[in-house]
Amino acid sequence: MIETVGDGRTWLLSGPSSSYALHLADGDTLLHLHWGPRLTAADAEALADRPPAPYRPFESPLDGHEEYPVEGGPRFVRPALSVRTVGVRGTEWRFDTATTDADAGELRLRFLDGPLALTLHYRMRDDTDVVERWITAEHRGPEGAPPVELLRADAATWTLPLRDAWRLSQLHGRWAAETRLVRAPLTYGEKVIGSRRGHTGHQHLPWVALDAEGATEEYGEVYGCALAWSGSWRISVHRLPDGLVQITGGAGHDDSGLVRLAPGDAYVSPVFAALWSDGGFGGASRAWHAWQLAHVIPGAADTRPVLYNSWEATEFAISEEQQRELARRAAGMGIELFVVDDGWFGRRTSDRAGLGDWTPNPDRFPRGLKPLADEVHALGMRFGIWVEPEMVNPDSDLYRAHPDWVQHQPGRTRTEFRHQLVLNLARADVQEYLWEQLDGLLSSAPIDYVKWDFNRCFTDAGWPGDPYPQRLWTEHVHALYGLLDRLRAAHPGVAFESCSGGGGRVDLGILARTDQVWTSDNTDPLDRLAIQHGFSQLHPARVMAAWVTDSPNTQLNGRISSLRFRFVSAMAGVLGVGGDLTRWTDEERDEARGWVALYKEIRPVVQLGELYRLRPPEGGLSAVQYVRGDDTVVLAWLQAQHHGEPPAPLRLRGIDPAAVYACRDTGARHRGSVLIHHGLPTGLRGDLDATVIRLRRC
Ligand code: DGJ
């Protein structure tokens, strides 16, 4: 809901439990008023009438109070917007118009400075406490007018209320160790996270959460901010000298040139979304999940199928007959989607060749992919395929024909990672080539699913002949989004998975056009608990792909774990199987069939329910709980039991204390209030034990 308050220069946006307010003060200064619990219009008016902070020499009266601090004038904070025109740097804005669209929950405020128009966009829908913000910068000068360079154009600056101390939560990582949650006090100065790599990166998820050092999993105020962008990015959290905190974020990492606008051009930033919750970190996560399921992830009301992926089983050594054999075994276990990973195309018998040549390898698939896809369908499964369209191996027909199609700097080394180079997707001819290849591929066989990978960062990101600042950093991302959108429109039955060497491209931008993401190449079921714990801070189980692979773990650590532990770990997300089924015994495949059947039954609760993280994966016992309607599912894992002590009962959340719940496995009946206050015993013991407990309200 949007209200224009008082003199028409104060705006109040409200969701179910929170409000956001801003005020246009004298001199056309746009001030932040409020972000937190719901306010009335009278509250917002009273806030707008409060006197400004007292004058202090050496301090800016604006710093920490503005909605969108820019470079120029009496400001010393990191600017969200930095502009260079001919001979002048910085901007001085004059307010132009405010428009609201009540149905869409949108507010647009336009400011002018010479030929440049800046629009601040706000959106808060009625069913969510998530506020979405972004900007548009337009060059409205006449043809022939000098260009304007946006050195930096963040999507938003978020302002927190004054508190004595703040704590920052972030999700850091690296390959095979993504989304690990860390919390630390926020000291004075700036904390900057981001990616200079051209993709979102394994190193940080574009998300931060701040609490005034008092929040717990289920109690207290939490502010969260997440960027919807799949290229280089930056989020900067500043604690100013007077203790105020602002968070600014947007596309691009540095301030050295984001976009050059000629007359008629416009730059639209990605969305920087944020929310306030007084339900602790768990409440904040549930609000994020609900918003993504309702407004971000396509077709999120449908649950995702159980998939089989052959990568860990075969790596590059694949053949049609071997894939058929794996498919038969997967179908026998109740798997619903069979995905052929890397190695099916061009001369791709190792990572040294083939990327770019998206036609089936004639030795491996002499009749193309259709016969295998047909057989997979006849087995009752959907058929999926792996691609890495943004890349090319120098040893490929594509590169031999078009060596200038890759990102490169004239006369400099073309750095190879994994023997591959990055195509310059900003080029229209490259976009068209990829469209033809992928559209052709999806038309050549009944393909239902595409795993879209991205296995190296940008290094020599240049485009000879394109003037500085080069568009390829942002245009690559827009071209990727454009290709995905076009393919989805032309092949509406095909689902897409975002992968980047595991979880290197997980963000709200890619999630708006993919159906699930590959969480990590680390499929060790114990390490996964920490990765999944971090992932769930922002994103729902409905998109978090998780595979059961072999024991001992072949990829990372040789850890031995039971099929039970591996399955229960992977059942916390979108279940998949990625082991070498030709080496699983009949007993193992029988047991796996049982787990797959159980997962299908609890799937709507896991993928679409509300998540309660009962105990974090630190040491002994950890558990998550999902609640949907009358159903509750608990997944619990015991890492190691010590001194013969039984693990603590799990105190459940999100259930009715006055109701009785029946355990669907044992038939035992539990009173809601007892489950909440005294807990549910798990029966776990020993090392690496795990369980699934299903309860239904009687
Ligand atoms: C990286 C992915 O994360 C893996 O799952 C697999 O698809 C390989 N790439 C294939 O090259």
Side-chain angles (χ1 to χ4, degrees):
M1 180 172 72
I2 303 179
E3 292 166 87
T4 307
V5 176
D7 58 359
R9 288 164 75 92
T10 301
W11 295 274
L12 177 64
L13 291 80
S14 298
S17 62
S18 67
S19 291
Y20 190 96
L22 49 150
H23 172 64
L24 191 65
D26 293 344
D28 286 355
T29 305
L30 188 64
L31 296 178
H32 176 77
L33 282 190
H34 172 82
W35 184 23
R38 264 190 90 114
L39 293 188
T40 63
D43 296 334
E45 234 177 305
L47 268 177
D49 285 345
R50 296 223 303 191
Y55 166 79
R56 288 198 187 90
F58 293 103
E59 295 301 339
S60 159
L62 303 177
D63 285 355
H65 302 281
E66 282 189 297
E67 268 297 283
Y68 192 71
V70 300
E71 183 178 15
R75 301 173 178 94
F76 309 110
V77 284
R78 183 187 279 275
L81 182 76
S82 175
V83 174
R84 182 160 56 194
T85 44
V86 180
V88 187
R89 196 164 155 164
T91 44
E92 222 170 69
W93 295 103
R94 189 166 45 80
F95 177 66
D96 183 28
T97 54
T99 48
T100 54
D101 176 345
D103 290 343
E106 279 187 34
L107 166 69
R108 287 183 285 271
L109 302 176
R110 194 166 63 192
F111 296 82
L112 302 173
D113 181 14
L116 202 58
L118 171 73
T119 306
L120 306 184
H121 302 259
Y122 294 80
R123 177 164 56 214
M124 192 173 196
R125 296 178 162 104
D126 288 346
D127 63 347
T128 176
D129 287 305
V130 173
V131 183
E132 295 168 64
R133 290 181 56 186
W134 69 101
I135 66 127
T136 307
E138 295 164 80
H139 190 324
R140 307 201 314 178
E143 211 177 312
V148 171
E149 194 183 331
L150 303 184
L151 298 162
R152 181 87 206 155
D154 277 340
T157 294
W158 300 99
T159 305
L160 305 186
L162 189 59
R163 297 284 185 270
D164 290 342
W166 286 97
R167 182 170 55 164
L168 173 70
S169 302
Q170 60 184 106
L171 295 167
H172 80 109
R174 57 174 169 74
W175 176 78
E178 298 88 335
T179 56
R180 285 168 305 145
L181 179 65
V182 280
R183 296 208 160 106
L186 184 68
T187 53
Y188 289 94
E190 289 183 47
K191 172 80 184 178
V192 178
I193 61 170
S195 158
R196 283 194 182 87
R197 298 162 182 260
H199 68 138
T200 324
H202 301 79
Q203 291 67 28
H204 303 279
L205 217 75
W207 166 88
V208 289
L210 286 117
D211 70 289
E213 289 217 84
T216 62
E217 183 61 23
E218 294 300 334
Y219 301 99
E221 290 189 306
V222 174
Y223 291 84
C225 309
L227 196 63
W229 184 243
S230 311
S232 292
W233 58 278
R234 185 180 74 198
I235 294 176
S236 170
V237 184
H238 333 205
R239 185 149 196 241
L240 302 174
D242 57 7
L244 279 167
V245 171
Q246 287 193 316
I247 303 140
T248 185
H253 193 282
D254 299 313
D255 299 336
S256 53
L258 182 69
V259 191
R260 184 167 167 273
L261 298 179
D265 288 349
Y267 170 74
V268 183
S269 79
V271 166
F272 198 12
L275 61 73
W276 170 89
S277 166
D278 66 351
F281 297 105
S285 296
R286 287 187 289 279
W288 278 123
H289 298 174
W291 170 69
Q292 287 168 72
L293 292 174
H295 301 295
V296 177
I297 301 156
D302 298 331
T303 55
R304 299 295 313 145
V306 180
L307 69 72
Y308 176 79
N309 180 294
S310 59
W311 173 247
E312 286 201 20
T314 65
E315 299 213 339
F316 294 101
I318 75 172
S319 71
E320 186 173 334
E321 188 39 45
Q322 164 224 53
Q323 293 289 311
R324 283 176 193 272
E325 179 55 28
L326 287 168
R328 283 192 281 270
R329 289 175 188 237
M333 283 165 43
I335 304 275
E336 300 161 306
L337 164 64
F338 182 84
V339 183
V340 179
D341 209 279
D342 204 346
W344 61 268
F345 53 91
R347 280 194 292 282
R348 186 75 168 168
T349 52
S350 75
D351 61 7
R352 293 182 168 270
L355 289 174
D357 303 337
W358 297 109
T359 46
N361 179 308
D363 301 327
R364 295 179 164 194
F365 295 92
R367 294 168 300 150
L369 293 171
K370 190 167 182 312
L372 177 61
D374 286 342
E375 172 148 354
V376 166
H377 283 153
L379 288 166
M381 298 183 290
R382 290 178 238 178
F383 179 71
I385 198 81
W386 178 96
V387 293
E388 193 179 0
E390 297 149 88
M391 301 292 166
V392 64
N393 286 114
D395 185 0
S396 66
D397 293 342
L398 177 64
Y399 189 74
R400 281 183 280 275
H402 299 286
D404 52 330
W405 277 12
V406 297
Q407 298 180 351
H408 65 286
Q409 309 272 354
R412 297 275 165 91
T413 307
R414 299 181 178 201
T415 308
E416 291 179 27
F417 275 128
R418 214 191 188 207
H419 313 290
Q420 64 196 55
L421 300 166
V422 186
L423 287 172
N424 181 358
L425 257 66
R427 294 177 61 124
D429 44 10
V430 172
Q431 292 169 17
E432 210 40 41
Y433 172 80
L434 291 180
W435 159 254
E436 278 164 17
Q437 294 293 305
L438 295 168
D439 178 53
L441 175 64
L442 295 182
S443 309
S444 71
I447 294 171
D448 309 294
Y449 185 84
V450 173
K451 174 179 175 183
W452 186 300
D453 209 341
F454 179 96
N455 278 304
R456 58 155 293 174
C457 313
F458 291 11
T459 50
D460 323 295
W463 184 358
D466 190 54
Y468 175 86
Q470 295 203 311
R471 289 169 289 158
L472 86 175
W473 289 91
T474 50
E475 284 308 306
H476 186 104
V477 182
H478 289 302
L480 165 70
Y481 289 171
L483 256 176
L484 282 166
D485 293 345
R486 199 172 166 193
L487 288 166
R488 290 189 80 96
H491 302 275
V494 179
F496 289 80
E497 170 182 332
S498 170
C499 172
S500 175
R505 192 149 65 189
V506 179
D507 60 79
L508 294 168
I510 205 74
L511 276 170
R513 37 191 58 84
T514 48
D515 299 85
Q516 62 188 64
V517 296
W518 182 222
T519 315
S520 176
D521 276 348
N522 185 341
T523 59
D524 171 72
L526 185 59
D527 286 355
R528 264 300 178 112
L529 297 183
I531 292 170
Q532 295 175 176
H533 179 72
F535 187 99
S536 76
Q537 301 295 317
L538 177 61
H539 299 302
R542 164 65 178 67
V543 298
M544 184 178 75
W547 304 345
V548 173
T549 55
D550 294 331
S551 171
N553 181 277
T554 57
Q555 299 285 303
L556 287 176
N557 55 25
R559 180 173 284 129
I560 294 171
S561 57
S562 64
L563 211 49
R564 161 181 282 272
F565 192 83
R566 281 175 274 154
F567 262 100
V568 180
S569 172
M571 284 160 81
V574 178
L575 177 66
V577 175
D580 185 353
L581 300 184
T582 61
R583 291 171 50 208
W584 287 23
T585 62
D586 291 348
E587 292 72 35
E588 283 174 322
R589 279 186 284 122
D590 276 352
E591 184 184 338
R593 186 181 308 119
W595 287 113
V596 170
L598 175 61
Y599 178 76
K600 287 179 186 170
E601 208 219 288
I602 64 173
R603 167 165 56 193
V605 187
V606 170
Q607 293 191 11
L608 305 175
E610 296 206 304
L611 170 72
Y612 292 84
R613 290 178 294 255
L614 300 182
R615 294 175 69 103
E618 291 155 6
L621 175 69
S622 62
V624 294
Q625 177 196 351
Y626 308 85
V627 180
R628 188 166 189 250
D630 290 340
D631 284 312
T632 282
V633 171
V634 176
L635 306 182
W637 305 273
L638 180 64
Q639 189 172 334
Q641 189 181 14
H642 294 290
H643 313 301
E645 283 164 11
L650 294 168
R651 292 180 56 198
L652 302 195
R653 306 281 176 206
I655 57 170
D656 181 357
V660 172
Y661 291 84
C663 176
R664 303 194 46 219
D665 303 291
T666 63
R669 292 163 87 85
H670 303 275
R671 304 193 68 79
S673 57
V674 173
L675 291 174
I676 293 168
H677 295 285
H678 299 277
L680 175 71
T682 59
L684 295 175
R685 61 197 303 267
D687 292 346
L688 296 187
D689 197 6
T691 190
V692 178
I693 302 171
R694 296 171 298 159
L695 300 173
R696 181 166 287 164
R697 187 188 174 124
C698 300

